[in-house]
């Protein structure tokens, strides 16, 4: 079962450092709107989004394991690897780069499978701001002209908006999936208590599950 305390510790340490870096670059930008400070804001924000996405992915994977609802396709996608088979039958694994925005949607789709009541609105402006921020980061990371390095104040604001939307979105989804796990644990505990008490229906269901596992 996912440990709420360990989740909090992760946010207090790893995410705390990422958030501190973002705040520090934003402070520098507020003091001086020079071009290098603008680029630092965007780069640092995207680094923080990537780090938080990793925690988001790990959390949702753990929830899936604890709910005993494994999905090999998701597991392969989350590993960011793919495989090929040669004519001789040799199996080879190779890296499979997944864009960060696609990974966020993939994780969320998996979370929805585990927690059907999730209602995520990707039509919100925050999501489009995050997507635009990634494009800005890519542009300044792989510049092909001097103009590629220029970032407007509106683009800095877009990056801020996308980041703050994301750091509100992820804990909300994580919290709701934790609730699903807690509900599952409560149901399982109740079932075990029924078995201990000799409840006939619980025993019948247990024998059925056992027979399915043996097939």
């Amino acid at each position: 079962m996912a440990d709420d305390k360990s989740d909090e510790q992760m946010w207090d340490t790893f995410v705390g450092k990422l958030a501190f870096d973002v705040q520090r670059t934003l402070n520098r930008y507020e003091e001086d709107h020079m071009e290098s400070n603008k680029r630092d804001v965007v780069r640092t924000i995207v680094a923080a989004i990537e780090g938080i996405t990793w925690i988001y992915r790990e959390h949702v994977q753990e929830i899936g394991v604890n709910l005993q609802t494994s999905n090999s396709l998701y597991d392969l996608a989350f590993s960011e690897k793919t495989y090929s088979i040669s004519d001789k039958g040799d199996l080879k694994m190779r890296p499979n780069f997944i864009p960060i925005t696609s990974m966020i949607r993939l994780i969320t789709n998996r979370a929805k499978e585990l927690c059907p009541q999730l209602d995520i609105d990707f039509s919100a402006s925050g999501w489009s701001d995050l997507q635009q921020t990634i494009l800005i980061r890519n542009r300044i990371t792989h510049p092909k002209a001097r103009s590629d390095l220029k970032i407007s104040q509106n683009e800095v604001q877009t990056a801020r908006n996308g980041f703050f939307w994301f750091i509100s979105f992820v804990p909300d989804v994580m919290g709701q999936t934790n609730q699903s796990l807690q509900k599952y644990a409560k149901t399982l505990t109740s079932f075990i208590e029924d078995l201990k008490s000799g409840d006939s229906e619980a025993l019948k269901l247990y024998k059925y599950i056992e027979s399915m596992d043996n097939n």
Side-chain angles (χ1 to χ4, degrees):
M1 182 172 176
D3 186 341
D4 290 342
K5 189 173 181 180
S6 64
D7 279 344
E8 290 176 5
Q9 290 173 341
M10 180 71 80
W11 280 84
D12 289 343
T13 55
F14 181 58
V15 176
K17 290 179 185 295
L18 293 172
F20 175 78
D21 286 347
V22 170
Q23 188 58 58
R24 186 171 55 183
T25 58
L26 286 172
N27 289 343
R28 285 203 301 265
Y29 164 72
E30 292 299 333
E31 292 172 2
D32 190 338
H33 288 190
M34 63 190 298
E35 289 299 321
S36 62
N37 285 345
K38 294 177 184 177
R39 290 191 291 271
D40 285 344
V41 167
V42 173
R43 291 191 190 102
T44 307
I45 280 177
V46 174
I49 289 171
E50 290 175 340
I52 294 168
T53 298
W54 178 79
I55 290 178
Y56 183 30
R57 183 182 70 187
E58 292 294 301
H59 172 83
V60 170
Q61 280 188 287
E62 183 183 359
I63 292 291
V65 169
N66 288 319
L67 288 175
Q68 300 181 6
T69 56
S70 62
N71 187 308
S72 57
L73 285 177
Y74 275 107
D75 290 342
L76 182 62
F78 287 148
S79 71
E80 296 189 73
K81 293 180 181 178
T82 186
Y83 67 88
S84 61
I85 303 174
S86 70
D87 293 339
K88 295 181 179 180
D90 296 325
L91 181 65
K92 293 185 178 180
M93 296 293 295
R94 63 176 183 271
N96 181 34
F97 172 75
I98 300 175
I100 188 67
T101 50
S102 298
M103 178 59 77
I104 292 168
R105 294 299 295 263
L106 178 71
I107 299 167
T108 306
N109 286 342
R110 176 59 171 151
K112 284 182 178 179
E113 286 189 359
L114 302 172
C115 185
Q117 69 269 27
L118 271 176
D119 183 20
I120 306 300
D121 183 14
F122 279 101
S123 66
S125 60
W127 171 243
S128 60
D129 286 337
L130 187 151
Q131 291 176 297
Q132 187 61 34
T133 301
I134 302 300
L135 294 177
I136 297 168
R137 190 283 304 268
N138 292 346
R139 187 188 77 215
I140 64 175
T141 302
H142 307 286
K144 295 176 177 59
R146 184 175 179 179
S147 58
D148 289 339
L149 295 172
K150 292 188 68 67
I151 296 177
S152 68
Q153 291 188 33
N154 285 340
E155 288 177 320
V156 172
Q157 188 59 46
T158 294
R160 287 173 58 116
N161 293 344
F163 175 69
F164 286 114
W165 173 83
F166 189 60
I167 61 174
S168 297
F169 158 81
V170 169
D172 181 54
V173 176
M174 289 172 65
Q176 291 190 60
T177 52
N178 265 334
Q179 289 176 11
S180 289
L181 180 57
Q182 290 165 2
K183 182 179 179 181
Y184 169 79
K186 186 176 180 180
T187 301
L188 185 59
T189 299
S190 177
F191 176 63
I192 292 171
E193 290 301 318
D194 288 342
L195 281 176
K196 288 180 179 178
S197 66
D199 182 271
S200 59
E201 291 302 317
L203 288 168
K204 187 185 298 183
L205 178 58
Y206 175 76
K207 289 179 180 178
Y208 172 74
I209 294 172
E210 189 177 45
S211 67
M212 293 294 291
D213 288 341
N214 291 331
N215 289 336

